[in-house]
Amino acid sequence: DGGITQSPKYLFRKEGQNVTLSCEQNLNHDAMYWYRQDPGQGLRLIYYSQIVNDFQKGDIAEGYSVSREKKESFPLTVTSAQKNPTAFYLCASSFRDRAEQYFGPGTRLTVT
Amino acid sequence: QKEVEQNSGPLSVPEGAIASLNCTYSDRVSQSFFWYRQYSGKSPELIMSIYSNGDKEDGRFTAQLNKASQYVSLLIRDSQPSDSATYLCAVNKSFNKFYFGSGTKLNVKP
């Protein structure tokens, strides 16, 4: 089955801890993206990567970091510097020459 | 000014009616436009994309684009209770960088 997987589905952390969210795709997509969604709001872009070993900041990158060592994988680390990390995190991917983005099932992070 | 604006709703329509969802965007350089459906607690699912002015139909869904007015709409014909969800409008400006509206919640009443 082709698709995008994110793990875990739910994640709970204490304030001050870094946490890494996993995103894997087997669609042979070139580009991958991370968004966060807060209640009643649209998606906001955190980071995106068009090719392996290259990534760019989105609109709300502060307090987050990413890596793209493999085409299939784009993990997101939420650091202790992120002031309000509790949110629904969504990973997406696309072909480089096609605009359509497809989403994974998401990870709901709660930090207390 | 937000990049993409949508009425948050809820929009309530009876089963079998046409639901009309609207979206405006601020930047004229926007190139392509998308509608996603998001059920409560789930991730967005792509249902329509449109790139040029006019209408694009896919089953019960029709997307309409008017670049001069910076306006995108989604029509859902013969609405079903299973269409009840939040519909997100997304606009692609460049390099696959999307901007999303906050979504319109649609309720289809049996």
Side-chain angles (χ1 to χ4, degrees):
Chain A
D1 272 344
I4 305 170
T5 57
Q6 291 186 244
S7 60
K9 188 174 181 179
Y10 298 97
L11 191 53
F12 297 89
R13 279 294 182 270
K14 294 290 188 184
E15 203 172 298
Q17 293 179 332
N18 291 355
V19 60
T20 297
L21 281 58
S22 167
C23 178
E24 305 272 336
Q25 55 94 6
N26 62 4
L27 300 168
N28 200 32
H29 283 171
D30 310 286
M32 298 185 74
Y33 313 81
W34 275 105
Y35 294 88
R36 69 174 276 169
Q37 186 176 35
D38 296 282
Q41 296 192 34
L43 281 65
R44 291 182 291 167
L45 182 64
I46 304 172
Y47 268 98
Y48 62 105
S49 168
Q50 301 286 329
I51 56 173
V52 173
N53 292 324
D54 188 43
F55 47 83
Q56 289 77 40
K57 293 181 179 180
D59 299 315
I60 55 165
E62 185 175 349
Y64 299 98
S65 65
V66 294
S67 62
R68 186 89 187 274
E69 296 177 2
K70 298 187 300 181
K71 186 176 182 178
E72 301 79 17
S73 178
F74 191 40
L76 173 75
T77 296
V78 184
T79 76
S80 56
Q82 167 50 230
K83 296 192 186 314
N84 188 16
T86 294
F88 187 35
Y89 288 87
L90 290 155
C91 178
S93 66
S94 71
F95 288 113
R96 198 182 318 135
D97 58 351
R98 296 280 302 173
E100 286 83 357
Q101 294 184 16
Y102 299 89
F103 285 87
T107 292
R108 203 167 293 275
L109 173 65
T110 303
V111 177
T112 57
Chain B
Q1 184 183 10
K2 288 185 179 179
E3 295 277 353
V4 181
E5 300 261 15
Q6 294 181 257
N7 188 322
S8 62
L11 172 66
S12 291
V13 300
E15 185 174 355
I18 295 175
S20 177
L21 304 160
N22 304 313
C23 168
T24 58
Y25 60 95
S26 62
D27 196 336
R28 288 189 177 274
V29 303
S30 300
Q31 299 172 351
S32 47
F33 307 85
F34 306 86
W35 284 99
Y36 286 83
R37 177 175 61 199
Q38 186 175 27
Y39 292 113
S40 181
K42 302 296 186 182
S43 63
E45 173 193 7
L46 179 65
I47 53 173
M48 289 288 288
S49 59
I50 187 165
Y51 291 81
S52 54
N53 276 332
D55 295 0
K56 178 182 177 183
E57 187 174 318
D58 184 0
R60 296 186 296 113
F61 299 100
T62 299
Q64 299 175 318
L65 174 60
N66 184 327
K67 288 189 176 181
S69 301
Q70 296 174 237
Y71 178 92
V72 193
S73 64
L74 179 70
L75 301 178
I76 306 175
R77 289 181 299 282
D78 188 24
S79 295
Q80 302 296 309
S82 59
D83 295 325
S84 297
T86 296
Y87 288 81
L88 302 173
C89 173
V91 170
N92 178 23
K93 289 174 65 171
S94 64
F95 301 108
N96 293 352
K97 194 172 178 184
F98 277 28
Y99 291 89
F100 283 82
S102 56
T104 298
K105 186 169 183 178
L106 173 65
N107 290 330
V108 181
K109 298 182 177 179

